[in-house]
Amino acid sequence: MALTEFDIIRQFFMSESFAADHPHLVKGPGDDAAILSLPDDHDLLVSVDTLNESVHFLPDAEPSLLAARCLAVNVSDLAAMGASPLGFTLALSLPQVSLSWLQAFSEGLAKAALDADCPLIGGDTTRGPLSITIQVHGMVPRGQALLRSGASAGDAVYVTGTLGDAAAALWWMQGDSRFSAKGLSSTEEQHLLEAFYQPANRIAVGKALRGIASAALDLSDGLASDLRHILKASSVSGARIEAGQLPVSEVLKQRVSRSDQIELAMGGGDDYELCVCIPPARIREAEAAVAALQVPFTRIGQLSNDPEMMVIASDGSTMDLKATGYHHFQSHSS
Amino acid sequence: MALTEFDIIRQFFMSESFAADHPHLVKGPGDDAAILSLPDDHDLLVSVDTLNESVHFLPDAEPSLLAARCLAVNVSDLAAMGASPLGFTLALSLPQVSLSWLQAFSEGLAKAALDADCPLIGGDTTRGPLSITIQVHGMVPRGQALLRSGASAGDAVYVTGTLGDAAAALWWMQGDSRFSAKGLSSTEEQHLLEAFYQPANRIAVGKALRGIASAALDLSDGLASDLRHILKASSVSGARIEAGQLPVSEVLKQRVSRSDQIELAMGGGDDYELCVCIPPARIREAEAAVAALQVPFTRIGQLSNDPEMMVIASDGSTMDLKATGYHHFQSHSS
């Protein structure tokens, strides 16, 4: 039987670079379903995200970077649960077959999969408007997943890495005047592109904080919006975030105004850093665990019994949060 | 914080009718990932399929039937592996928000989920051209999944149900002259619509044949095409299929010519019946196991050392298979 063009496409994702060598993968692509064998006494975690052309990425997005971002935003959900990756599936809709696009996309995906130790285990390739749906699978020792619902007033709030870089990258790519692009160095460009397309994998941080953190999630819509998910799930009414403690990169400090730095750090989406709550008694342990991984881990405030979340300026005044509640994108996942 | 329209949409899928009450679901939608707890000594199975508007279904497809079909084609992959469903995720892209469409879609999905005992455990809803990606999760006792690769020459080939009805339904819906629609009764219409949109769930058959069948898959592209996957995976060169044994429905017998009945049974896609290979020594056991479920289970031929697959007419002559190798759709999953 002759191969259809979609059979050929599938072979891009069954190449040597995707040779799925993972201790828990029994059977990858090629049967009716993939088979994973979890160790006993572990829970399975699954999370799915779709990225659509012109909604979540620009039509001319570089395919290898796009592939990396698609996997990274999903792996980030596993990190936020304290899980170890098991593998991912790819459901790819393509309007037409471009071998050069597929080559670059599959290379970027294979590299990102290797980086996250998260092999491709199955998928579906079909004709349609360009759309990429990735589902990741992970595991934690039974009962040890980091939920959003365990935090209490008084817990310290921490974030990994720096905030606002992905949103600043979008300002830069879209020529927004709030981003001062004049004389941008190649190092700065690289920083912005990586922040947007290749957010760092925080799996090790999530694992290190199992049994220590009271709640965790990854920052996809922006800190102000995402932290409210923790408040709601944990039945905590308020939080005090200190503007002066928000970790921002040198690029942000150089290229946007101070007020926009806070705007981006609080409201910019797509950072895919972790936001973690730590009970006071576990702070030293948490800081030591993350310091050992050499990942920036900054205390930015604490949960409180205030009637709502507040951002405190360095002079002690309360800043207006309404300005920081915007959404970059319409995508939400659960 | 105000709800976005996509927050509202998500609530269609977190309603009481989706109240996920499944013994292995620890946490459904609402955190960074869903959590499943498999019993020890079981393997996990995952399969994903995308259906795109105008590619896999017509733009005016009735949303509740469409939802049922999307879940059914995925559950069918679990049935073909001998797995029990654990739950599914839904990644839904919508061009705009139609509450009536969403209401019908979510009702159809909830009904199909209940029928398959396969609850919704998570998902992503986003803006984009209408596209539905469902991933199902199932389990089998460790090592007992029914693969495509265990068959041998001499094994009998069986199928469940009747073949060709979904492809005939498509002929009917598209006004194809090969389908004689004149005076079609409402019973016949119902049969065709159910064949296309609500293929029967064969989970019980797959489970009953664990440890008995040598190979199995579900029929999505058509018997001629799909059986070749078993031949290839099992390294068997040929098969002899008896045209006179192919199970066809009364509607097919009444509404298409005898040669088209064979054409549809061998080459028509979307039946989502199981095709199963049974070693000669296990035939009595297999037939008894499926008979107990009151599911039609028909022996249609056997695998052989012939150089290729052949269809044998009732007079013993070999029929041309080339005419039956067409694809209805471009979707393939692994």
Side-chain angles (χ1 to χ4, degrees):
Chain A
M1 184 178 52
L3 290 174
T4 70
E5 57 185 354
F6 280 79
D7 289 319
I8 295 166
I9 289 168
R10 266 203 307 287
Q11 301 196 354
F12 273 101
F13 302 105
M14 295 177 72
S15 64
E16 276 302 306
S17 53
F18 280 105
D21 183 21
H22 198 278
H24 304 293
L25 182 61
V26 177
K27 191 157 184 50
D31 212 300
D32 293 298
I35 308 178
L36 291 167
S37 183
L38 268 67
D40 289 349
D41 296 318
H42 279 69
D43 287 330
L44 169 72
L45 290 94
V46 301
S47 182
V48 61
D49 270 297
T50 295
L51 300 187
N52 288 329
E53 184 179 66
S54 300
V55 178
H56 305 92
F57 57 90
L58 303 173
D60 61 355
E62 207 283 301
S64 71
L65 290 177
L66 179 61
R69 179 162 187 254
C70 291
L71 185 57
V73 305
N74 277 285
V75 167
S76 176
D77 285 315
L78 293 183
M81 303 289 280
S84 306
L86 284 165
F88 74 98
T89 59
L90 168 70
L92 179 64
S93 292
L94 292 170
Q96 72 276 318
V97 174
S98 158
L99 296 186
S100 61
W101 190 95
L102 279 161
Q103 185 66 39
F105 184 86
S106 72
E107 281 176 12
L109 195 61
K111 193 165 166 293
L114 193 66
D115 174 65
D117 192 24
C118 188
L120 179 66
I121 62 170
D124 188 20
T125 307
T126 183
R127 189 177 299 280
L130 182 56
S131 177
I132 305 152
T133 296
I134 283 180
Q135 174 160 326
V136 286
H137 308 76
M139 62 176 183
V140 293
R142 194 161 289 164
Q144 291 192 36
L146 299 177
L147 306 181
R148 298 177 175 184
S149 51
S152 305
D155 286 0
V157 179
Y158 283 79
V159 293
T160 56
T162 56
L163 302 181
D165 293 302
L170 208 61
W171 279 3
W172 166 57
M173 288 187 271
Q174 296 179 332
D176 194 301
S177 62
R178 288 170 291 181
F179 186 91
S180 166
K182 195 173 165 193
L184 199 68
S185 71
S186 61
T187 308
E188 288 175 304
E189 285 193 10
Q190 189 65 23
H191 176 85
L192 292 166
L193 286 173
E194 283 184 4
F196 189 77
Y197 284 112
Q198 296 168 301
N201 151 5
R202 299 303 187 201
I203 291 290
V205 176
K207 288 170 69 173
L209 293 174
R210 282 180 198 158
I212 300 175
S214 56
L217 50 55
D218 68 320
L219 297 171
S220 55
D221 292 336
L223 178 60
S225 174
D226 290 325
L227 186 53
R228 282 194 176 92
H229 295 313
I230 287 183
L231 295 184
K232 188 176 173 194
S234 297
S235 300
V236 174
S237 60
R240 294 175 177 231
I241 303 300
E242 296 169 47
Q245 297 303 316
L246 293 168
V248 292
S249 68
E250 281 306 308
V251 177
L252 227 65
K253 287 178 186 165
Q254 297 298 324
R255 300 289 167 178
V256 302
S257 71
R258 178 62 189 150
S259 65
D260 281 344
Q261 289 169 33
I262 297 168
E263 176 86 9
L264 289 173
M266 286 301 299
D270 298 305
D271 279 323
Y272 300 105
E273 294 292 352
L274 300 190
C275 174
V276 182
C277 298
I278 307 287
R282 313 298 296 275
I283 282 177
R284 193 172 304 176
E285 197 181 349
E287 290 190 349
V290 183
L293 301 169
Q294 300 185 294
V295 173
F297 191 60
T298 309
R299 184 174 177 170
I300 59 168
Q302 64 177 32
L303 303 189
S304 69
N305 290 318
D306 297 304
E308 58 181 345
M309 190 191 310
M310 296 185 295
V311 180
I312 315 293
S314 37
D315 65 0
S317 65
T318 303
M319 302 173 73
D320 182 12
L321 246 183
K322 292 196 179 62
T324 62
Y326 63 83
H327 285 116
H328 270 290
F329 294 118
Q330 288 292 345
S331 176
H332 302 77
S333 64
S334 59
Chain B
M1 185 177 52
L3 288 174
T4 69
E5 60 183 354
F6 279 79
D7 288 320
I8 294 166
I9 290 169
R10 264 203 308 287
Q11 300 194 354
F12 274 100
F13 302 105
M14 294 177 73
S15 65
E16 275 303 306
S17 54
F18 280 106
D21 184 21
H22 198 278
H24 303 294
L25 182 60
V26 178
K27 191 156 185 51
D31 213 300
D32 293 297
I35 308 179
L36 291 167
S37 183
L38 269 67
D40 289 349
D41 297 319
H42 279 68
D43 287 330
L44 169 73
L45 290 93
V46 300
S47 184
V48 60
D49 270 297
T50 295
L51 300 187
N52 289 329
E53 185 180 68
S54 300
V55 178
H56 305 94
F57 57 90
L58 302 173
D60 60 355
E62 207 282 300
S64 71
L65 290 177
L66 180 60
R69 179 163 188 256
C70 290
L71 185 57
V73 304
N74 277 285
V75 168
S76 177
D77 285 314
L78 293 182
M81 303 290 280
S84 305
L86 284 167
F88 74 97
T89 59
L90 167 70
L92 179 63
S93 292
L94 294 169
Q96 72 278 318
V97 174
S98 158
L99 296 186
S100 61
W101 190 95
L102 278 162
Q103 186 65 39
F105 185 85
S106 72
E107 281 175 12
L109 195 61
K111 192 164 168 295
L114 193 66
D115 174 65
D117 192 23
C118 188
L120 179 65
I121 60 170
D124 188 20
T125 307
T126 183
R127 189 177 298 280
L130 183 55
S131 177
I132 304 151
T133 296
I134 283 179
Q135 174 160 326
V136 287
H137 308 76
M139 62 177 184
V140 292
R142 194 160 290 163
Q144 290 193 37
L146 299 176
L147 305 181
R148 298 177 174 184
S149 52
S152 306
D155 287 359
V157 179
Y158 283 78
V159 293
T160 56
T162 57
L163 302 181
D165 293 300
L170 206 61
W171 280 3
W172 167 56
M173 288 187 270
Q174 296 179 332
D176 193 302
S177 63
R178 289 170 290 182
F179 186 90
S180 167
K182 196 175 166 190
L184 198 68
S185 71
S186 61
T187 309
E188 288 174 304
E189 285 192 12
Q190 189 64 24
H191 176 86
L192 292 167
L193 285 173
E194 283 184 5
F196 189 77
Y197 284 112
Q198 297 168 298
N201 151 6
R202 299 304 188 200
I203 290 288
V205 177
K207 287 171 69 174
L209 293 174
R210 284 180 197 157
I212 299 175
S214 57
L217 49 57
D218 68 320
L219 296 171
S220 56
D221 292 335
L223 177 61
S225 174
D226 290 324
L227 186 53
R228 284 194 176 91
H229 295 313
I230 288 183
L231 296 184
K232 189 177 172 194
S234 297
S235 301
V236 173
S237 61
R240 292 174 179 234
I241 303 300
E242 296 169 46
Q245 296 304 315
L246 293 169
V248 292
S249 66
E250 282 306 308
V251 177
L252 227 67
K253 286 177 184 164
Q254 297 299 325
R255 300 288 167 177
V256 302
S257 70
R258 178 63 189 148
S259 65
D260 281 342
Q261 291 169 33
I262 297 168
E263 177 85 9
L264 288 173
M266 288 300 299
D270 298 305
D271 280 323
Y272 300 103
E273 294 291 352
L274 300 190
C275 174
V276 182
C277 298
I278 307 288
R282 312 299 295 276
I283 283 177
R284 192 171 304 175
E285 197 181 349
E287 290 189 349
V290 183
L293 301 170
Q294 300 185 293
V295 173
F297 190 59
T298 310
R299 183 175 177 169
I300 59 168
Q302 63 176 34
L303 304 190
S304 69
N305 291 317
D306 297 304
E308 57 181 346
M309 189 192 309
M310 295 185 297
V311 179
I312 314 293
S314 39
D315 65 1
S317 66
T318 303
M319 301 174 74
D320 182 11
L321 246 184
K322 292 197 178 60
T324 62
Y326 63 83
H327 286 115
H328 271 290
F329 294 118
Q330 289 292 345
S331 176
H332 300 77
S333 63
S334 58

